[in-house]
Amino acid sequence: MVNYTDRVMTAIESAMGHEIAWPDRQERVVNSAHFTGLGFLGCIGLVDGTLVKLSQRPRDDGETCFDRKSNYSMNVQVICDQNKRVIYFFAGMPGSCHDLTCLRRSSLWERLGSAQLFDNGQYLLGDSGYIPLDRLVCSYKRTGGDMDKVDFNTCIAHARVGNEHCIGILKARWHSLKEIRMQLRNPAENAYVIRWIRCCIILHNFLIWRRDEWSEDDHPIELETEDDLGPPPKGARECNRRGLERRQAVQRICLEINRRPDGVFCR
C-alpha cells in the first residue's frame, strides 16, 4: 500500500513546476489590477501561515511542535493570488515557530528583492505577524488609537480574507490536512509529510485551473482568521492610499536601519 501511495505522490509531484508557480510579469499585472480595486495598488499576492495538526507528538524534539493552540503541529506558509491559487508555500517548521521566523527560513526570503519576482512597486500583503519590508506590506501591531491605522488594518483584513478562504478550501478538500495521522519519528517521515502537503496543494491548484469551483454554501469552510473584520471604512480607497503612503514611509526607515552596520532590526 505504501509503495502505491508513494508512486501516486511521485506522479503528482511531477506536475509541481506547472501547478505551483510564481506569477510571471503579465500575471502580476492582472493580480495587481485586482487588488488595486480593493485599494492596494501593487499587491500581487497574500501571505499567511497555517498550522497542520499532528495526531501525535513527534519523537525527536516534539516539544518544539507544541503550538499556541495546545496541539502538536507543523507550520505551513502559504502565498496565494486573488483566485485562491497557491503561488508559493513553505512547510516543515515546527508549529511553535512564529510565521515571520518560518518565512525567514524559506527560499523566498532571500529573493524578496528579486526583479524576477517583483516589478517596481509590487509587494505581498500580510498580517501583523510579519514585519514591513519593501516587498511586504503588513498591518500595524499597535494602532495607538490612530483611526487611519485602524482603518488601514481593517482594509487589510478584508483583503486578506482571500488567503483565509484559500487555506480553508485547501483543508476542506483534503481532510488529511486537518490532522496528519502518523507520528514523525525521523527526518524521512518529516519529509514524507511535507511531500503529502505539497501533493494536496498541487491538486488544489489543479482544480482551480480547471475551474472546479468550491461552493461554500454546499461545503462550508473553517476560517482561521483572528481579525475583527467589521465593515470597511468609508472611502476605503482613499484610506488605503494614505495608509500605504504612511506604511511605506515606515518601511523605508526600517530598511535604512537594517542597512546600518550595528545590525539593528526594526520590528
Side-chain angles (χ1 to χ4, degrees), residues 32-166:
S32 178
H34 170 82
F35 289 109
T36 296
L38 299 177
F40 292 100
L41 174 65
C43 176
I44 63 169
L46 310 169
V47 58
D48 200 4
T50 186
L51 297 173
V52 174
K53 184 180 176 182
L54 304 174
S55 64
Q56 301 180 57
R57 179 186 186 275
R59 190 177 68 179
D60 297 330
D61 302 318
E63 66 279 0
T64 64
C65 294
F66 197 69
D67 61 37
R68 67 182 187 280
K69 298 180 180 180
S70 300
N71 297 314
Y72 293 103
S73 64
M74 179 182 291
N75 186 295
V76 182
Q77 294 292 298
V78 176
I79 301 177
C80 73
D81 62 15
Q82 71 277 8
N83 298 315
K84 304 178 182 65
R85 180 175 66 94
V86 178
I87 60 176
Y88 180 85
F89 83 98
F90 176 69
M93 295 291 288
S96 64
C97 289
H98 195 278
D99 281 343
L100 177 59
T101 300
C102 297
L103 188 62
R104 280 175 172 163
R105 295 291 183 89
S106 73
S107 60
L108 177 66
W109 184 258
E110 295 298 328
R111 303 187 64 197
L112 280 178
S114 171
Q116 292 181 322
L117 303 185
F118 299 89
D119 293 322
N120 289 335
Q122 293 181 343
Y123 56 87
L124 300 173
L125 205 60
D127 62 16
S128 60
Y130 301 95
I131 57 173
L133 299 168
D134 190 39
R135 301 299 188 190
L136 179 58
V137 172
C138 52
S139 51
Y140 292 93
K141 291 182 184 295
R142 291 175 288 275
T143 61
D146 186 325
M147 289 310 300
D148 274 351
K149 292 182 179 180
V150 171
D151 287 346
F152 184 67
N153 280 5
T154 301
C155 289
I156 282 188
H158 276 272
R160 287 186 53 258
V161 164
N163 191 293
E164 298 289 346
H165 282 192
C166 171

Side-chain angles (χ1 to χ4, degrees), residues 164-182:
E164 298 289 346
H165 282 192
C166 171
I167 293 172
I169 292 172
L170 177 66
K171 290 185 175 182
R173 273 191 168 129
W174 317 112
H175 281 212
S176 59
L177 297 184
K178 293 185 177 182
E179 185 175 57
I180 300 294
R181 295 184 178 276
M182 64 177 290

